[in-house]
Amino acid sequence: MKKIFALFFAGFVASAAFAEEAPDVLVQRVTEEVLEIIRHDKDIQNGSTNKVIDLVDKKVLPHFNFQHMTALALGKEWRKATPQQQQQLTAEFKTLLVRTYSNALTSYKNQKIVYKQFKMAPTDTDVLVRTEVHQPGNKPVQLDYSLEKLDSGWKVYDVVVAGISLVTNYRDQFGQEVRNGGIDGLVASIAAKNKSLEANQKK
């Protein structure tokens, strides 16, 4: 499942020049561009997580609304956090997602992305772009992107894999940690996970 989640990062490694494209066009264009890079990058194929993280840091982050993603993952607990704590949570959650799924992205091989029919009204500001991941020897997996239109362009705020929301998948875990150690305890817990992932990743 993490390998499939990882593909959502691949779908949005793009330049700011694509910001004004329709959301479905954006998804398809940059997904194919990035997967082509991954297929031919020997360092990534050899498992260099740092190479993928560098790619994500430079290209993907401007196309995601990580504050919205973090608020969704925290649910009602988000309102209990101070502005400073919200900033810390957003930064640590962003790092967690990048490190977790950059590692999985290095194992990308021969998956094929199929893009579903997309319709939207000119006034729509919140849309769902549906795709499907085809893997040799496995059943296709639904991979859907939730995007919102902001002043800076279309931003991803959630990804749904086989009916499971990426961000709300963390909600029960985060809620339990807040109940046990408060917001600061959650920040410390995510930071510890990030350090562990960094220590275990291939350079």
Side-chain angles (χ1 to χ4, degrees):
M1 183 64 72
K2 288 183 179 180
K3 292 179 182 180
I4 301 301
F5 273 143
L7 291 177
F8 85 84
F9 278 118
F12 283 87
V13 181
S15 70
F18 298 145
E20 297 305 316
E21 287 184 312
D24 61 321
V25 175
L26 175 64
V27 169
Q28 181 168 354
R29 177 188 287 219
V30 300
T31 296
E32 294 305 321
E33 175 186 334
V34 170
L35 295 185
E36 185 68 14
I37 292 172
I38 292 172
R39 292 186 191 107
H40 293 91
D41 190 300
K42 292 183 178 179
D43 291 334
I44 293 175
Q45 291 296 321
N46 289 331
S48 174
T49 305
N50 278 359
K51 186 74 174 286
V52 180
I53 289 175
D54 184 62
L55 186 64
V56 169
D57 282 343
K58 290 179 179 178
K59 302 292 186 177
V60 68
L61 302 190
H63 299 279
F64 281 77
N65 185 345
F66 280 103
Q67 180 168 321
H68 192 176
M69 295 175 78
T70 308
L72 287 175
L74 267 290
K76 64 181 181 180
E77 307 295 346
W78 177 256
R79 296 189 294 274
K80 299 178 181 179
T82 66
Q84 181 179 2
Q85 288 173 326
Q86 290 178 348
Q87 184 177 9
Q88 291 174 323
L89 284 166
T90 299
E92 293 294 348
F93 188 50
K94 176 176 70 174
T95 300
L96 176 64
L97 292 177
V98 170
R99 290 201 173 278
T100 299
Y101 302 116
S102 291
N103 184 55
L105 194 57
T106 61
S107 63
Y108 172 84
K109 298 299 180 185
N110 298 310
Q111 292 90 336
K112 178 183 178 182
I113 311 298
V114 175
Y115 305 92
K116 301 294 186 178
Q117 185 176 8
F118 175 80
K119 293 182 180 180
M120 65 173 286
T123 56
D124 285 345
T125 58
D126 194 310
V127 300
L128 185 69
V129 176
R130 300 180 182 274
T131 73
E132 204 170 65
V133 180
H134 290 232
Q135 306 172 91
N138 294 285
K139 292 182 179 180
V141 177
Q142 192 74 20
L143 178 62
D144 300 332
Y145 300 83
S146 294
L147 299 94
E148 57 186 343
K149 190 172 185 180
L150 305 178
D151 291 341
S152 54
W154 288 99
K155 306 290 183 182
V156 177
Y157 67 88
D158 196 10
V159 181
V160 181
V161 180
I164 301 174
S165 162
L166 171 66
V167 293
T168 58
N169 192 45
Y170 284 94
R171 186 172 293 169
D172 289 343
Q173 174 189 338
F174 285 178
Q176 183 62 48
E177 291 183 359
V178 170
R179 287 189 291 273
N180 291 339
I183 297 296
D184 288 337
L186 175 60
V187 173
S189 175
I190 301 175
K193 290 187 178 84
N194 288 333
K195 289 182 180 179
S196 177
L197 285 170
E198 181 179 9
N200 292 327
Q201 285 175 341
K202 183 176 180 179
K203 304 301 182 180

